[in-house]
Amino acid sequence: MIEAEFSRHLLEWYDANRRELPWRKTPEPYAVWVSEIMAQQTQIDRVVGYYDRWMKRFPDVNSLACAHEEDVLKHWEGLGYYSRARNMLKAAIVIVQGHGGEFPTDYADIRGLPGIGEYTAGAITSIAFGQPEPAVDANVLRVFARLLNMEESVRGAKGRSRVEKQVRTLIPTDRAGDFNQAIMELGALVCIKNPDCEQCPVLVYCKSYGAGTVLQRPVLPAPKKIMRINMATGVLVHEGRLLIQKRKADDVWPGLWEFPGGGIEDGETPEQAIIREYMEEVELAIDPVEKIITIVYNYTRYHVTMHCFLCRFAEEPSEPVFNEAAEGGFMLPAELESYAFPAGQRRLVEFMKNDRSFDALFSDV
Ligand code: SF4
């Protein structure tokens, strides 16, 4: 058991060292919710720019509830895990229709909103409403795995439940939100992968420091195997416009836009894959005429290599038939800015935008 003085030491450190972040200025439930959802899987430094842009466009629940999904996805573009943005739109509609546009204050009501799990519900209820609910994210798990010198994995239900119980015994009723944020801040600034224990305000309570096992904590499950994927994508240009299509609702990255293409099959070259994919996906006969770029990126446990080619019609131009997309069409290069693309495809768009040779290619091919 960690001593009662723990919270006082931690909060004193937090008051002196916490980062000034835009959502900390006004801990309104909507602001806390937006920042917490954005911060999942994303570094805080990157979140700030997205947060500011989002709050300008959707300053409150009502403005978000009225937005089109396309607009919401566009403001999420680059953050990844797009189901988070779609769920925020759904949750905003529930708040407007079911709660009169006022963010619910009850933990169970908040937890029942689309896309809000235990962590986010705990963060909103404690930070915005001052209720003593734990908010246990990866940072908090890491800190407590070390403080308690936990031999069990913190990713398992047993380990997580132990941490939550410990937080409940420590969380002060008068500063619940600050306590949760202080633990997260400690995990983000001091108790990092290679922790700076000499700077730690709760070093005296840390069992793994005492036992010399800091670097063996937290105990994690074996990492999942990385899968390597080779893909080919074709940018079909016709009369200065480029063909893009919108992914179906039940596909990976639903609602996002892309240039047609797909996985390279055994024995295929990237060019052959593009020709086949175009025939399957949009029933167009095309020629890959020039390599644009090879883009390498990681997506969850996938390591993707995407070969990108400029293409033209191989035969008389015809209308695409969108067999594997919700919709699509030929767009002007400038129009691509208003569509949300997955990260790899957005990099392709940005490359073409910044490479002067494409100014001419767009109009000449
Ligand atoms: S003493 Fe080191 S390992 Fe323990 S909580 Fe502090 S920073 Fe983390």
Side-chain angles (χ1 to χ4, degrees), residues 145-167:
R146 287 169 170 166
L147 285 168
L148 302 174
N149 196 21
M150 289 170 63
E151 289 177 13
E152 68 267 43
S153 166
V154 287
R155 297 275 170 83
K158 200 173 143 208
R160 186 184 181 86
S161 157
R162 186 176 166 197
V163 171
E164 277 180 6
K165 275 190 195 138
Q166 181 69 79
V167 172

PDB file of all heavy atoms in Angstrom, residues 145-167:
ATOM      1  N   ALA A 145       2.649   0.122 -12.372  1.00  0.00           N
ATOM      2  CA  ALA A 145       3.369  -1.165 -12.465  1.00  0.00           C
ATOM      3  C   ALA A 145       4.722  -1.035 -11.777  1.00  0.00           C
ATOM      4  O   ALA A 145       5.220  -1.981 -11.154  1.00  0.00           O
ATOM      5  CB  ALA A 145       3.550  -1.549 -13.924  1.00  0.00           C
ATOM      6  N   ARG A 146       5.307   0.163 -11.871  1.00  0.00           N
ATOM      7  CA  ARG A 146       6.611   0.399 -11.234  1.00  0.00           C
ATOM      8  C   ARG A 146       6.448   0.730  -9.749  1.00  0.00           C
ATOM      9  O   ARG A 146       7.184   0.201  -8.915  1.00  0.00           O
ATOM     10  CB  ARG A 146       7.339   1.527 -11.972  1.00  0.00           C
ATOM     11  CG  ARG A 146       7.844   1.058 -13.331  1.00  0.00           C
ATOM     12  CD  ARG A 146       8.315   2.207 -14.187  1.00  0.00           C
ATOM     13  NE  ARG A 146       8.999   1.733 -15.385  1.00  0.00           N
ATOM     14  CZ  ARG A 146       9.273   2.502 -16.427  1.00  0.00           C
ATOM     15  NH1 ARG A 146       8.938   3.782 -16.431  1.00  0.00           N
ATOM     16  NH2 ARG A 146       9.896   1.999 -17.474  1.00  0.00           N
ATOM     17  N   LEU A 147       5.507   1.587  -9.448  1.00  0.00           N
ATOM     18  CA  LEU A 147       5.309   1.932  -8.030  1.00  0.00           C
ATOM     19  C   LEU A 147       5.034   0.688  -7.190  1.00  0.00           C
ATOM     20  O   LEU A 147       5.536   0.543  -6.081  1.00  0.00           O
ATOM     21  CB  LEU A 147       4.132   2.907  -7.888  1.00  0.00           C
ATOM     22  CG  LEU A 147       4.378   4.350  -8.315  1.00  0.00           C
ATOM     23  CD1 LEU A 147       3.068   5.110  -8.405  1.00  0.00           C
ATOM     24  CD2 LEU A 147       5.327   5.049  -7.336  1.00  0.00           C
ATOM     25  N   LEU A 148       4.217  -0.208  -7.752  1.00  0.00           N
ATOM     26  CA  LEU A 148       3.829  -1.412  -7.002  1.00  0.00           C
ATOM     27  C   LEU A 148       4.737  -2.600  -7.300  1.00  0.00           C
ATOM     28  O   LEU A 148       4.540  -3.688  -6.764  1.00  0.00           O
ATOM     29  CB  LEU A 148       2.378  -1.787  -7.342  1.00  0.00           C
ATOM     30  CG  LEU A 148       1.323  -0.699  -7.068  1.00  0.00           C
ATOM     31  CD1 LEU A 148      -0.031  -1.126  -7.588  1.00  0.00           C
ATOM     32  CD2 LEU A 148       1.247  -0.394  -5.578  1.00  0.00           C
ATOM     33  N   ASN A 149       5.692  -2.403  -8.212  1.00  0.00           N
ATOM     34  CA  ASN A 149       6.590  -3.483  -8.652  1.00  0.00           C
ATOM     35  C   ASN A 149       5.783  -4.711  -9.064  1.00  0.00           C
ATOM     36  O   ASN A 149       6.021  -5.840  -8.589  1.00  0.00           O
ATOM     37  CB  ASN A 149       7.583  -3.844  -7.538  1.00  0.00           C
ATOM     38  CG  ASN A 149       8.751  -4.662  -8.080  1.00  0.00           C
ATOM     39  OD1 ASN A 149       9.035  -4.641  -9.288  1.00  0.00           O
ATOM     40  ND2 ASN A 149       9.424  -5.403  -7.209  1.00  0.00           N
ATOM     41  N   MET A 150       4.840  -4.489  -9.970  1.00  0.00           N
ATOM     42  CA  MET A 150       3.893  -5.552 -10.344  1.00  0.00           C
ATOM     43  C   MET A 150       4.550  -6.616 -11.208  1.00  0.00           C
ATOM     44  O   MET A 150       5.159  -6.304 -12.228  1.00  0.00           O
ATOM     45  CB  MET A 150       2.695  -4.938 -11.084  1.00  0.00           C
ATOM     46  CG  MET A 150       1.778  -4.136 -10.165  1.00  0.00           C
ATOM     47  SD  MET A 150       0.531  -3.185 -11.071  1.00  0.00           S
ATOM     48  CE  MET A 150      -0.405  -4.491 -11.851  1.00  0.00           C
ATOM     49  N   GLU A 151       4.385  -7.854 -10.806  1.00  0.00           N
ATOM     50  CA  GLU A 151       4.948  -8.961 -11.589  1.00  0.00           C
ATOM     51  C   GLU A 151       3.975  -9.447 -12.647  1.00  0.00           C
ATOM     52  O   GLU A 151       4.362 -10.118 -13.599  1.00  0.00           O
ATOM     53  CB  GLU A 151       5.356 -10.102 -10.654  1.00  0.00           C
ATOM     54  CG  GLU A 151       6.576  -9.728  -9.835  1.00  0.00           C
ATOM     55  CD  GLU A 151       6.959 -10.798  -8.841  1.00  0.00           C
ATOM     56  OE1 GLU A 151       6.449 -11.928  -8.934  1.00  0.00           O
ATOM     57  OE2 GLU A 151       7.774 -10.475  -7.956  1.00  0.00           O
ATOM     58  N   GLU A 152       2.678  -9.119 -12.467  1.00  0.00           N
ATOM     59  CA  GLU A 152       1.693  -9.513 -13.485  1.00  0.00           C
ATOM     60  C   GLU A 152       1.633  -8.448 -14.585  1.00  0.00           C
ATOM     61  O   GLU A 152       1.997  -7.291 -14.352  1.00  0.00           O
ATOM     62  CB  GLU A 152       0.309  -9.722 -12.876  1.00  0.00           C
ATOM     63  CG  GLU A 152      -0.385  -8.476 -12.346  1.00  0.00           C
ATOM     64  CD  GLU A 152      -0.116  -8.240 -10.859  1.00  0.00           C
ATOM     65  OE1 GLU A 152       1.048  -8.401 -10.444  1.00  0.00           O
ATOM     66  OE2 GLU A 152      -1.057  -7.854 -10.150  1.00  0.00           O
ATOM     67  N   SER A 153       1.153  -8.834 -15.777  1.00  0.00           N
ATOM     68  CA  SER A 153       1.050  -7.887 -16.881  1.00  0.00           C
ATOM     69  C   SER A 153      -0.024  -6.851 -16.568  1.00  0.00           C
ATOM     70  O   SER A 153      -1.121  -7.193 -16.119  1.00  0.00           O
ATOM     71  CB  SER A 153       0.688  -8.629 -18.169  1.00  0.00           C
ATOM     72  OG  SER A 153       0.277  -7.704 -19.149  1.00  0.00           O
ATOM     73  N   VAL A 154       0.300  -5.578 -16.838  1.00  0.00           N
ATOM     74  CA  VAL A 154      -0.705  -4.537 -16.597  1.00  0.00           C
ATOM     75  C   VAL A 154      -1.738  -4.492 -17.715  1.00  0.00           C
ATOM     76  O   VAL A 154      -2.738  -3.794 -17.622  1.00  0.00           O
ATOM     77  CB  VAL A 154      -0.059  -3.134 -16.461  1.00  0.00           C
ATOM     78  CG1 VAL A 154       0.666  -3.000 -15.151  1.00  0.00           C
ATOM     79  CG2 VAL A 154       0.836  -2.825 -17.640  1.00  0.00           C
ATOM     80  N   ARG A 155      -1.474  -5.211 -18.801  1.00  0.00           N
ATOM     81  CA  ARG A 155      -2.442  -5.218 -19.907  1.00  0.00           C
ATOM     82  C   ARG A 155      -3.585  -6.193 -19.641  1.00  0.00           C
ATOM     83  O   ARG A 155      -4.624  -6.125 -20.276  1.00  0.00           O
ATOM     84  CB  ARG A 155      -1.754  -5.613 -21.215  1.00  0.00           C
ATOM     85  CG  ARG A 155      -0.694  -4.644 -21.672  1.00  0.00           C
ATOM     86  CD  ARG A 155      -1.323  -3.501 -22.482  1.00  0.00           C
ATOM     87  NE  ARG A 155      -0.368  -2.442 -22.732  1.00  0.00           N
ATOM     88  CZ  ARG A 155       0.513  -2.452 -23.711  1.00  0.00           C
ATOM     89  NH1 ARG A 155       0.564  -3.478 -24.521  1.00  0.00           N
ATOM     90  NH2 ARG A 155       1.326  -1.451 -23.872  1.00  0.00           N
ATOM     91  N   GLY A 156      -3.393  -7.117 -18.715  1.00  0.00           N
ATOM     92  CA  GLY A 156      -4.445  -8.092 -18.403  1.00  0.00           C
ATOM     93  C   GLY A 156      -5.479  -7.474 -17.473  1.00  0.00           C
ATOM     94  O   GLY A 156      -5.240  -6.448 -16.831  1.00  0.00           O
ATOM     95  N   ALA A 157      -6.659  -8.131 -17.394  1.00  0.00           N
ATOM     96  CA  ALA A 157      -7.757  -7.605 -16.570  1.00  0.00           C
ATOM     97  C   ALA A 157      -7.350  -7.529 -15.093  1.00  0.00           C
ATOM     98  O   ALA A 157      -7.686  -6.571 -14.396  1.00  0.00           O
ATOM     99  CB  ALA A 157      -8.984  -8.489 -16.739  1.00  0.00           C
ATOM    100  N   LYS A 158      -6.584  -8.531 -14.632  1.00  0.00           N
ATOM    101  CA  LYS A 158      -6.213  -8.567 -13.219  1.00  0.00           C
ATOM    102  C   LYS A 158      -5.281  -7.386 -12.870  1.00  0.00           C
ATOM    103  O   LYS A 158      -5.485  -6.696 -11.871  1.00  0.00           O
ATOM    104  CB  LYS A 158      -5.485  -9.899 -12.946  1.00  0.00           C
ATOM    105  CG  LYS A 158      -5.481 -10.290 -11.498  1.00  0.00           C
ATOM    106  CD  LYS A 158      -4.909 -11.688 -11.324  1.00  0.00           C
ATOM    107  CE  LYS A 158      -4.076 -11.714 -10.040  1.00  0.00           C
ATOM    108  NZ  LYS A 158      -3.015 -12.688 -10.070  1.00  0.00           N
ATOM    109  N   GLY A 159      -4.300  -7.167 -13.732  1.00  0.00           N
ATOM    110  CA  GLY A 159      -3.348  -6.085 -13.486  1.00  0.00           C
ATOM    111  C   GLY A 159      -4.025  -4.731 -13.525  1.00  0.00           C
ATOM    112  O   GLY A 159      -3.808  -3.872 -12.666  1.00  0.00           O
ATOM    113  N   ARG A 160      -4.888  -4.542 -14.505  1.00  0.00           N
ATOM    114  CA  ARG A 160      -5.586  -3.256 -14.649  1.00  0.00           C
ATOM    115  C   ARG A 160      -6.489  -3.006 -13.436  1.00  0.00           C
ATOM    116  O   ARG A 160      -6.541  -1.899 -12.903  1.00  0.00           O
ATOM    117  CB  ARG A 160      -6.408  -3.297 -15.939  1.00  0.00           C
ATOM    118  CG  ARG A 160      -7.040  -1.994 -16.241  1.00  0.00           C
ATOM    119  CD  ARG A 160      -7.938  -2.016 -17.450  1.00  0.00           C
ATOM    120  NE  ARG A 160      -8.461  -0.670 -17.615  1.00  0.00           N
ATOM    121  CZ  ARG A 160      -7.846   0.280 -18.274  1.00  0.00           C
ATOM    122  NH1 ARG A 160      -6.724   0.036 -18.892  1.00  0.00           N
ATOM    123  NH2 ARG A 160      -8.357   1.491 -18.341  1.00  0.00           N
ATOM    124  N   SER A 161      -7.196  -4.058 -13.026  1.00  0.00           N
ATOM    125  CA  SER A 161      -8.100  -3.908 -11.878  1.00  0.00           C
ATOM    126  C   SER A 161      -7.314  -3.548 -10.612  1.00  0.00           C
ATOM    127  O   SER A 161      -7.761  -2.738  -9.794  1.00  0.00           O
ATOM    128  CB  SER A 161      -8.874  -5.217 -11.723  1.00  0.00           C
ATOM    129  OG  SER A 161      -9.329  -5.369 -10.445  1.00  0.00           O
ATOM    130  N   ARG A 162      -6.130  -4.122 -10.468  1.00  0.00           N
ATOM    131  CA  ARG A 162      -5.305  -3.803  -9.295  1.00  0.00           C
ATOM    132  C   ARG A 162      -4.910  -2.323  -9.304  1.00  0.00           C
ATOM    133  O   ARG A 162      -4.952  -1.646  -8.273  1.00  0.00           O
ATOM    134  CB  ARG A 162      -4.057  -4.701  -9.294  1.00  0.00           C
ATOM    135  CG  ARG A 162      -3.235  -4.540  -8.041  1.00  0.00           C
ATOM    136  CD  ARG A 162      -2.065  -5.489  -8.020  1.00  0.00           C
ATOM    137  NE  ARG A 162      -1.111  -5.110  -7.006  1.00  0.00           N
ATOM    138  CZ  ARG A 162       0.135  -5.528  -6.946  1.00  0.00           C
ATOM    139  NH1 ARG A 162       0.587  -6.395  -7.857  1.00  0.00           N
ATOM    140  NH2 ARG A 162       0.942  -5.125  -5.993  1.00  0.00           N
ATOM    141  N   VAL A 163      -4.540  -1.828 -10.481  1.00  0.00           N
ATOM    142  CA  VAL A 163      -4.160  -0.407 -10.583  1.00  0.00           C
ATOM    143  C   VAL A 163      -5.358   0.483 -10.278  1.00  0.00           C
ATOM    144  O   VAL A 163      -5.248   1.464  -9.527  1.00  0.00           O
ATOM    145  CB  VAL A 163      -3.591  -0.105 -11.991  1.00  0.00           C
ATOM    146  CG1 VAL A 163      -3.405   1.397 -12.177  1.00  0.00           C
ATOM    147  CG2 VAL A 163      -2.273  -0.838 -12.200  1.00  0.00           C
ATOM    148  N   GLU A 164      -6.516   0.142 -10.829  1.00  0.00           N
ATOM    149  CA  GLU A 164      -7.712   0.966 -10.579  1.00  0.00           C
ATOM    150  C   GLU A 164      -8.038   1.024  -9.094  1.00  0.00           C
ATOM    151  O   GLU A 164      -8.364   2.079  -8.552  1.00  0.00           O
ATOM    152  CB  GLU A 164      -8.902   0.397 -11.354  1.00  0.00           C
ATOM    153  CG  GLU A 164      -8.918   0.878 -12.787  1.00  0.00           C
ATOM    154  CD  GLU A 164     -10.082   0.338 -13.587  1.00  0.00           C
ATOM    155  OE1 GLU A 164     -10.955  -0.339 -12.996  1.00  0.00           O
ATOM    156  OE2 GLU A 164     -10.076   0.573 -14.797  1.00  0.00           O
ATOM    157  N   LYS A 165      -7.937  -0.136  -8.439  1.00  0.00           N
ATOM    158  CA  LYS A 165      -8.228  -0.170  -6.993  1.00  0.00           C
ATOM    159  C   LYS A 165      -7.240   0.718  -6.243  1.00  0.00           C
ATOM    160  O   LYS A 165      -7.606   1.462  -5.330  1.00  0.00           O
ATOM    161  CB  LYS A 165      -8.108  -1.607  -6.482  1.00  0.00           C
ATOM    162  CG  LYS A 165      -9.381  -2.403  -6.679  1.00  0.00           C
ATOM    163  CD  LYS A 165      -9.318  -3.728  -5.947  1.00  0.00           C
ATOM    164  CE  LYS A 165     -10.420  -4.635  -6.457  1.00  0.00           C
ATOM    165  NZ  LYS A 165      -9.997  -5.995  -6.657  1.00  0.00           N
ATOM    166  N   GLN A 166      -5.970   0.662  -6.642  1.00  0.00           N
ATOM    167  CA  GLN A 166      -4.961   1.475  -5.972  1.00  0.00           C
ATOM    168  C   GLN A 166      -5.236   2.961  -6.178  1.00  0.00           C
ATOM    169  O   GLN A 166      -5.148   3.761  -5.245  1.00  0.00           O
ATOM    170  CB  GLN A 166      -3.569   1.115  -6.497  1.00  0.00           C
ATOM    171  CG  GLN A 166      -2.447   1.893  -5.852  1.00  0.00           C
ATOM    172  CD  GLN A 166      -2.224   1.537  -4.389  1.00  0.00           C
ATOM    173  OE1 GLN A 166      -1.612   0.521  -4.085  1.00  0.00           O
ATOM    174  NE2 GLN A 166      -2.724   2.365  -3.490  1.00  0.00           N
ATOM    175  N   VAL A 167      -5.612   3.335  -7.418  1.00  0.00           N
ATOM    176  CA  VAL A 167      -5.922   4.751  -7.682  1.00  0.00           C
ATOM    177  C   VAL A 167      -7.080   5.204  -6.807  1.00  0.00           C
ATOM    178  O   VAL A 167      -7.056   6.293  -6.232  1.00  0.00           O
ATOM    179  CB  VAL A 167      -6.235   4.971  -9.181  1.00  0.00           C
ATOM    180  CG1 VAL A 167      -6.751   6.390  -9.428  1.00  0.00           C
ATOM    181  CG2 VAL A 167      -4.989   4.728 -10.036  1.00  0.00           C
TER     182      VAL A 167
END
